Amino acid sequence: MELGSTAKYPKWATAYKFPAEEVLTRLKDIIFTVGRTGRITPNAILEPVILMGSTISRATLHNANFVYSKGLKIGDIVAIKKAGDVIPAVTEAKLERRTGNEKDFVMITSCPMCDTPLEKKEGQVDYFCPNPNCPARKINSLIHFVSRDAMNIEGLGDEIVEELYNLGFVKTIPDFYNLKTKKEQLLQFDGYGEISINKFLDNIEASKQNDLARVLYAIGIPGIGSKTAKVLAHRFKTMDLLMSQTIEELEKIPDIGHTLATNIYAYFEENQEFIQKLKDIGINMQEINGDRKEHELITDKKFVITGTIASYTRNEIKAILESYDGIVSESVSKNTDVVIVGDAPGSKYDKALKLNIPIWNEEKLQEVFSKLS
Ligand SMILES: [Zn+2]
């Protein structure tokens, strides 16, 4: 079979009558990206192919061991599916389709951005660029800082951040807050209209009022996701109190453990000056949502409601769950924690059963709600 490299999509990809759960395409290349922690990730560059309604041209290959274990070669025809129905994943190489022209995968030994020799910790599968001044690491740390779950600075997309870095406007996190003094220079660059500049400058300024949890996540303490950042903010209320904790005290917190406690402690040891700069800028260092209501069965859990509940309207249920930081969504997936099922439920109920997701009937819902303050 001829693989049309001129056609936008390989011809054989359209042979499926229905959106397929797995499709074949060519692995054109493997490129390496450097994350904010320095972690090196090999990525598959694929001949674009439609999978479950979206065009896929890239997929993560996680690490070198993954590529070796799948025996992938550049030029292979590979099978692609969506893991958890969202993230495209390469499942296997079709060995019977090999022509002999495929090239072996070779793991790089130095950083593709700064050329520093890569390191690998004993017992780990990932290679890291150890250079703290690696441009890729710096840019990705800046992108992380402004991202939605972090400081949530709208108007500063990944590409703008990268450009601001490359143009020399923002080299470190505090530089974002100094941009307002450089408005005239920013205006001289193509692509920055005054409206868009004003928008991101306003949003940068507003981010100073963000809750401590966002700041803790945004600064990129190794291993601290947004959920752990919330736990820490809620427990210690202020940056100062958190920074004064010992490893022993930190590891007593549920969900933290020794490794994270060590990371947190080491991070603050190394970054006192940086945190002081953020304070001087005027970034809030306290928990604002201190009266956040929490309930172990609701807070940070994902809910889907289906069918009619006699004792509450759907909006009432939603409001109560959200007041305890529960998340109400429309469709059931593997990530759903609870499906609330009333009379005459829809297909969401079937899906919940299929995925083995805990179900609350009206009686259970009333029991949980009756104990809320
Ligand atoms: Zn590097």
Side-chain angles (χ1 to χ4, degrees):
M1 202 182 315
E2 182 79 27
L3 295 177
S5 57
T6 53
K8 197 170 176 200
Y9 304 109
K11 286 185 190 114
W12 38 265
T14 58
Y16 292 104
K17 279 184 181 162
F18 302 101
E21 291 191 353
E22 188 171 88
V23 292
L24 300 182
T25 192
R26 185 183 295 280
L27 174 60
K28 284 170 31 181
D29 201 358
I30 296 177
I31 63 159
F32 298 90
T33 48
V34 189
R36 69 186 160 90
T37 59
R39 184 164 73 198
I40 308 291
T41 306
N43 298 274
I45 302 299
L46 304 163
E47 190 81 47
V49 63
I50 295 179
L51 173 59
M52 295 170 73
S54 54
T55 303
I56 309 297
S57 57
R58 244 176 117 128
T60 179
L61 297 172
H62 309 289
N63 53 57
N65 280 9
F66 179 87
V67 183
Y68 293 132
S69 71
K70 300 275 178 194
L72 303 179
K73 290 182 181 221
I74 293 160
D76 268 342
I77 299 300
V78 292
I80 312 291
K81 71 165 190 181
K82 282 194 179 173
D85 288 357
V86 187
I87 303 160
V90 175
T91 55
E92 60 175 344
K94 294 290 176 189
L95 301 183
E96 68 277 15
R97 302 283 296 269
R98 282 199 174 146
T99 63
N101 294 326
E102 294 79 13
K103 283 194 297 178
D104 284 338
F105 165 76
V106 182
M107 182 58 195
I108 51 172
T109 54
S110 62
C111 176
M113 284 295 281
C114 71
D115 216 29
T116 304
L118 300 182
E119 288 177 1
K120 187 172 151 178
K121 287 193 192 116
E122 215 180 294
Q124 289 198 343
V125 290
D126 292 310
Y127 285 86
F128 286 85
C129 167
N131 174 12
N133 295 313
C134 174
R137 291 184 57 178
K138 295 207 143 191
I139 291 168
N140 284 317
S141 302
L142 295 169
I143 289 173
H144 172 75
F145 184 80
V146 304
S147 64
R148 208 172 70 173
D149 288 342
M151 294 301 265
N152 193 25
I153 302 177
E154 266 186 72
L156 282 182
D158 297 4
E159 280 160 28
I160 297 182
V161 173
E162 190 169 348
E163 204 170 17
L164 289 172
Y165 180 89
N166 289 330
L167 292 170
F169 284 109
V170 178
K171 290 288 186 191
T172 65
I173 285 167
D175 295 340
F176 280 121
Y177 296 89
N178 198 32
L179 274 177
K180 59 187 173 194
T181 66
K182 299 188 174 164
K183 199 173 149 185
E184 290 308 311
Q185 290 149 273
L186 284 169
L187 277 168
Q188 289 166 18
F189 288 96
D190 276 353
Y192 294 140
E194 187 157 11
I195 293 172
S196 65
I197 292 177
N198 284 339
K199 185 181 160 200
F200 69 64
L201 290 179
D202 284 350
N203 291 337
I204 289 168
E205 206 55 25
S207 75
K208 290 180 181 175
Q209 307 308 322
N210 279 346
D211 202 1
L212 176 62
R214 283 189 179 277
V215 180
L216 284 175
Y217 176 58
I219 56 179
I221 305 167
I224 303 296
S226 61
K227 202 175 163 187
T228 313
K230 278 182 196 157
V231 171
L232 291 172
H234 196 59
R235 173 88 176 213
F236 295 107
K237 313 288 183 203
T238 71
M239 185 69 93
D240 286 340
L241 189 57
L242 170 60
M243 287 175 77
S244 69
Q245 301 302 309
T246 61
I247 295 176
E248 291 71 34
E249 285 161 334
L250 289 166
E251 67 189 0
K252 280 184 211 149
I253 303 165
D255 299 341
I256 297 285
H258 185 68
T259 309
L260 278 187
T262 311
N263 286 355
I264 296 164
Y265 184 83
Y267 177 89
F268 286 123
E269 280 286 292
E270 287 162 28
N271 289 282
Q272 296 195 19
E273 227 177 285
F274 168 65
I275 300 292
Q276 187 57 48
K277 267 189 197 164
L278 298 184
K279 283 183 189 170
D280 294 344
I281 285 165
I283 293 174
N284 169 59
M285 297 282 164
Q286 300 193 0
E287 191 186 41
I288 297 169
N289 302 325
D291 55 353
R292 172 170 119 129
K293 292 193 280 183
E294 291 195 43
H295 188 281
E296 56 172 352
L297 295 177
I298 299 176
T299 305
D300 296 329
K301 299 273 191 285
K302 296 192 178 70
F303 293 87
V304 173
I305 308 165
T306 179
T308 312
I309 308 277
S311 40
Y312 302 94
T313 68
R314 187 166 294 224
N315 281 338
E316 280 167 345
I317 298 169
K318 194 165 178 266
I320 294 168
L321 293 173
E322 285 176 348
S323 70
Y324 282 82
D325 278 348
I327 302 146
V328 179
S329 61
E330 286 303 313
S331 57
V332 177
S333 75
K334 275 190 294 194
N335 298 322
T336 308
D337 292 297
V338 175
V339 175
I340 296 169
V341 177
D343 278 344
S347 61
K348 292 170 190 177
Y349 177 52
D350 302 325
K351 191 153 186 204
L353 290 175
K354 206 174 126 197
L355 294 173
N356 249 329
I357 290 164
I359 287 169
W360 289 2
N361 58 17
E362 182 154 0
E363 200 182 340
K364 170 75 179 172
L365 185 73
Q366 283 177 321
E367 183 199 315
V368 175
F369 279 10
S370 68
K371 288 179 188 154
L372 300 176
S373 52

